[in-house]
């Protein structure tokens, strides 16, 4: 499956959203970048969006994506801050993939993805922001579409190779899929290697402007280049990110020179929030062992103690999870992860009233926080309060129709609502959306067809279902 990322990294694009802790305290204003014109490339914006959504669904189906609202939203927040420096419109989304390889990629239409290995290898959030900014610059300059124009549409063949290769790799020997995708990439490399190098240098330059204008330290982009160069010199293979974004000594030198020319941005000597984010990611992606976390926690490392609480929670050891959470409650009084983990500990023990008390007040103070709202919705569902849960979730679904977790919660809540005459129809529709955005298009269409049959006689509902079903069927047939 790593090959899907390797091939995708050849492309270019990006994404959006919201949340809480990590945005810098100030921004410097929108960045001036070269104007390339909205009409450049063989793909118009609508076609790019369809391609991005197709890959979004394939990535969710083929790759081990993270389903954790808090973690996703931390990077969506960083991403949004950088994206605000561009002229890009509404992107498709951000996906975090459980893979220890250092990699990130972007796809036409505004899909951005990063591996957990990129997160856990970074020394600070600014380094991650630098990689995001680089990918956003690829999208802002429409490198993918421009490459297609220069190379007569062969970029579309590459994307088709990615999807076909991923499908083969998922059903057979992974090397077969790798061969398909690497063969597709190799066919392109001879014809556009120099062009790609120019695009990479442009993405470095413009990406650094974006991250600086968003308030991040531009030195961190150069730092990360140099760190990766040192690390890869010690091993016999190159990370996927290196293969898809070839690094040269010239690029490293230029990055440092550009960073030195910008006003200095002060970095934190120690950032507890980032340490929490990094260790939490290690736990979520199964990259941390109990022994490793305990060694840090024994040094009274607050981030490690919180991560240990999540570690034990994931394994159903609620006593140890509670013990470690109690150690950090006083120090992390206002950190959102504390009530989120506490609520899950109570839910795991079927203590629904305590779970409600631990999450309700803070959610009311931060209603815009998706992780808190979804956790409260989960509690309400367990309590049988379907209508309240639906109200909480629908607000976020209206903002982002690709929110798989939101659709799953709506399905669960609606399944409890026995009083609604449209219950069965709505459950099927919500299930279809969760299946569709998870990449199971055929299953989604079957669910919608079932809903269509049940809705006969209800003109308004039938019209709504017919429209959505046609859209799903058309997108599934789309040849990219």
């Amino acid at each position: 499956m790593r090959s899907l990322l390797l091939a995708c990294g050849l492309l270019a694009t990006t994404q959006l959203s919201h949340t809480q802790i990590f945005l810098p305290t100030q921004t410097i204003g929108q960045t001036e970048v070269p104007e390339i014109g909205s009409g450049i490339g063989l793909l118009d914006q609508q076609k790019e969006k369809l391609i991005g959504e197709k890959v979004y669904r394939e990535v969710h189906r083929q790759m081990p994506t993270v389903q954790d609202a808090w973690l996703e939203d931390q990077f969506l927040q960083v991403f949004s801050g950088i994206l605000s420096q561009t002229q890009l419109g509404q992107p498709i989304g951000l996906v975090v993939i459980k893979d220890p390889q250092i990699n990130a990629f972007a796809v036409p239409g505004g899909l951005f993805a990063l591996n957990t290995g990129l997160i856990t290898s970074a020394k600070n959030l600014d380094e991650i922001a630098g990689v995001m900014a680089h990918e956003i610059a690829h999208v802002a300059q429409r490198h993918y579409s421009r490459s297609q124009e220069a190379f007569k549409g062969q970029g579309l063949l590459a994307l088709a190779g990615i999807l076909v290769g991923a499908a083969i790799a998922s059903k057979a020997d992974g090397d077969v899929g790798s061969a398909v995708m690497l063969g597709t990439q190799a066919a392109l490399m001879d014809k556009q290697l120099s062009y790609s190098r120019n695009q990479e240098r442009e993405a470095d330059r413009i990406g650094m402007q974006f991250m600086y204008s968003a308030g991040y330290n531009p030195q961190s982009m150069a730092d990360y280049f140099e760190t990766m160069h040192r690390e890869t010199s010690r091993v016999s293979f190159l990370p996927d990110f290196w293969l898809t974004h070839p690094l040269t000594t010239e690029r490293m030198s230029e990055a440092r020179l550009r960073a030195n020319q910008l006003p200095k941005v002060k970095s934190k000597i120690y950032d507890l929030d980032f340490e929490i984010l990094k260790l939490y990611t290690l736990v979520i992606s199964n990259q941390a062992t109990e022994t490793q976390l305990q060694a840090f926690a024994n040094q009274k490392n607050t981030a490690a103690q919180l991560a240990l609480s999540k570690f034990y929670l994931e394994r159903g050891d609620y006593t140890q999870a509670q013990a470690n959470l109690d150690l950090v409650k006083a120090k992390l009084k206002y950190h959102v992860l504390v009530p989120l983990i506490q609520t899950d500990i109570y839910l795991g023990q079927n203590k629904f009233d305590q779970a409600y008390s631990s999450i309700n007040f803070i959610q009311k103070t931060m209603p815009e926080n998706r992780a808190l709202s979804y956790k409260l919705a989960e509690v309400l569902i367990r309590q049988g309060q379907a209508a309240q849960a639906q109200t909480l979730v629908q607000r976020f679904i209206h903002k982002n129709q690709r929110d798989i977790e939101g659709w799953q919660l709506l399905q669960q809540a609606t399944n409890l609502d026995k009083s609604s005459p449209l219950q069965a129809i709505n459950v099927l529709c919500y299930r279809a959306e969760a299946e569709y955005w998870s990449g199971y298009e055929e299953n989604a269409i079957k669910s919608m067809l079932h809903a269509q049959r049940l809705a006969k006689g209800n003109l308004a509902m039938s019209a709504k279902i017919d429209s959505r079903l046609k859209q799903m069927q058309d997108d599934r047939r789309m040849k990219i």
Side-chain angles (χ1 to χ4, degrees):
M1 289 307 165
R2 287 174 44 231
S3 299
L4 175 62
L5 299 186
L6 186 146
C8 278
L10 188 65
L11 309 178
T13 312
T14 293
Q15 143 169 27
L16 153 81
S17 204
H18 64 279
T19 191
Q20 112 251 1
I21 319 175
F22 294 112
L23 278 180
T25 53
Q26 62 180 25
T27 56
I28 302 158
Q30 196 167 65
T31 304
E32 294 294 328
V33 298
E35 175 59 52
I36 63 170
S38 60
I40 291 181
L42 299 178
L43 299 179
D44 59 21
Q45 291 182 1
Q46 182 61 27
K47 186 65 178 289
E48 286 184 341
K49 178 175 177 287
L50 291 173
I51 286 177
E53 288 182 341
K54 182 75 172 178
V55 178
Y56 177 89
R57 297 193 295 273
E58 285 296 316
V59 167
H60 273 289
R61 186 165 70 93
Q62 305 288 351
M63 306 299 296
T65 56
V66 170
Q67 299 294 319
D68 185 290
W70 179 81
L71 189 65
E72 291 169 326
D73 285 356
Q74 302 316 298
F75 297 109
L76 284 171
Q77 178 178 327
V78 177
F79 185 65
S80 298
I82 300 170
L83 196 68
S84 69
Q85 308 307 312
T86 77
Q87 300 294 327
L88 294 171
Q90 178 81 18
I92 289 168
L94 181 145
V95 181
V96 181
I97 299 168
K98 295 180 184 178
D99 191 322
Q101 273 282 311
I102 297 171
N103 200 16
F105 66 87
V107 180
L111 169 62
F112 180 80
L114 69 161
N115 282 11
T116 52
L118 174 69
I119 301 163
T120 57
S121 68
K123 296 190 295 291
N124 52 58
L125 194 67
D126 295 60
E127 291 188 348
I128 298 172
V131 176
M132 287 187 176
H134 173 97
E135 295 294 337
I136 288 172
H138 275 308
V139 182
Q141 297 307 104
R142 303 192 75 220
H143 284 161
Y144 178 69
S145 296
R146 291 162 67 191
S147 293
Q148 285 192 86
E149 187 171 68
F151 301 106
K152 299 179 181 179
Q154 293 178 81
L156 283 179
L157 295 177
L159 186 54
I162 292 165
L163 301 179
V164 172
I168 293 173
S170 69
K171 295 176 176 62
D173 186 332
D175 290 341
V176 177
S178 299
V180 172
M181 288 179 281
L182 288 172
T184 305
Q185 179 171 328
L188 292 169
M189 289 297 279
D190 286 342
K191 297 188 178 182
Q192 68 177 79
L193 183 58
S194 61
Y195 195 78
S196 294
R197 282 176 177 162
N198 289 335
Q199 289 180 334
E200 291 300 328
R201 292 172 66 188
E202 185 175 55
D204 291 344
R205 176 175 57 82
I206 294 173
M208 187 173 287
Q209 294 176 38
F210 287 157
M211 70 180 295
Y212 170 72
S213 296
Y216 294 99
N217 186 355
Q219 295 287 345
S220 293
M221 180 182 281
D223 290 343
Y224 200 55
F225 281 174
E226 292 171 5
T227 297
M228 288 188 65
H229 186 262
R230 287 194 299 271
E231 291 299 317
T232 53
S233 67
R234 302 174 191 169
V235 296
S236 59
F237 64 91
L238 291 176
D240 291 344
F241 190 76
W242 236 232
L243 295 173
T244 56
H245 301 270
L247 185 71
T248 63
T249 54
E250 182 181 36
R251 275 183 67 198
M252 288 192 293
S253 298
E254 288 179 351
R256 183 63 69 189
L257 285 171
R258 277 193 295 269
N260 289 339
Q261 291 168 1
L262 291 168
K264 293 190 180 299
V265 176
K266 188 175 180 181
S267 296
K268 296 179 181 178
I269 297 175
Y270 177 73
D271 186 347
L272 176 59
D273 285 331
F274 180 71
E275 287 302 308
I276 291 171
L277 179 67
K278 187 171 179 176
L279 290 177
Y280 186 86
T281 301
L282 281 168
V283 172
I284 289 295
S285 59
N286 300 316
Q287 290 177 243
T289 67
E290 181 180 6
T291 302
Q292 291 169 333
L293 293 171
Q294 194 65 62
F296 285 120
N298 289 341
Q299 301 171 24
K300 299 193 179 196
N301 183 303
T302 302
Q305 290 168 333
L306 185 62
L308 257 180
S309 181
K310 180 65 174 178
F311 179 90
Y312 288 124
L313 173 64
E314 294 280 291
R315 282 147 187 79
D317 189 341
Y318 303 117
T319 302
Q320 286 286 359
Q322 188 67 64
N324 280 276
L325 188 63
D326 288 343
L327 292 174
V328 301
K329 278 187 173 180
K331 300 174 189 175
L332 299 174
K333 189 175 180 182
Y334 301 107
H335 200 290
V336 167
L337 266 183
V338 172
L340 287 172
I341 293 175
Q342 181 65 80
T343 303
D344 274 333
I345 291 172
Y346 285 140
L347 285 175
Q349 298 171 311
N350 293 321
K351 298 178 179 178
F352 302 144
D353 290 342
Q354 291 97 318
Y356 180 82
S357 297
S358 67
I359 198 72
N360 182 54
F361 176 75
I362 188 168
Q363 189 278 331
K364 293 295 186 290
T365 63
M366 302 174 66
E368 76 287 351
N369 188 289
R370 187 171 69 106
L372 290 172
S373 294
Y374 281 10
K375 190 58 62 181
L376 178 56
E378 186 179 343
V379 173
L380 291 168
I381 289 169
R382 298 283 291 274
Q383 290 181 320
Q385 304 294 323
Q388 293 180 51
Q390 288 171 331
T391 301
L392 275 176
V393 175
Q394 282 169 342
R395 184 158 51 93
F396 293 95
I397 288 291
H398 289 324
K399 293 178 183 177
N400 177 20
Q401 65 170 343
R402 306 171 195 93
D403 188 339
I404 296 170
E405 186 177 352
W407 289 117
Q408 290 170 337
L409 286 169
L410 274 181
Q411 180 189 345
Q412 293 169 27
T414 305
N415 200 43
L416 296 174
D417 190 9
K418 307 296 184 185
S419 62
S420 172
L422 299 176
Q423 181 207 21
I425 298 171
N426 284 328
V427 167
L428 285 165
C429 289
Y430 296 149
R431 185 177 76 184
E433 294 293 350
E435 291 169 334
Y436 182 73
W437 295 112
S438 296
Y440 297 96
E441 297 170 347
E442 186 175 350
N443 290 344
I445 289 169
K446 287 179 180 177
S447 294
M448 290 298 284
L449 286 169
H450 191 185
Q452 185 183 54
R453 288 192 292 271
L454 293 180
K456 281 186 177 178
N458 186 323
L459 295 180
M461 181 62 78
S462 291
K464 183 178 178 181
I465 292 172
D466 291 348
S467 175
R468 184 65 180 123
L469 176 60
K470 183 180 184 304
Q471 185 179 12
M472 286 183 178
Q473 291 170 328
D474 289 346
D475 289 351
R476 184 167 182 264
R477 285 192 296 264
M478 182 182 69
K479 303 297 184 183
I480 59 175

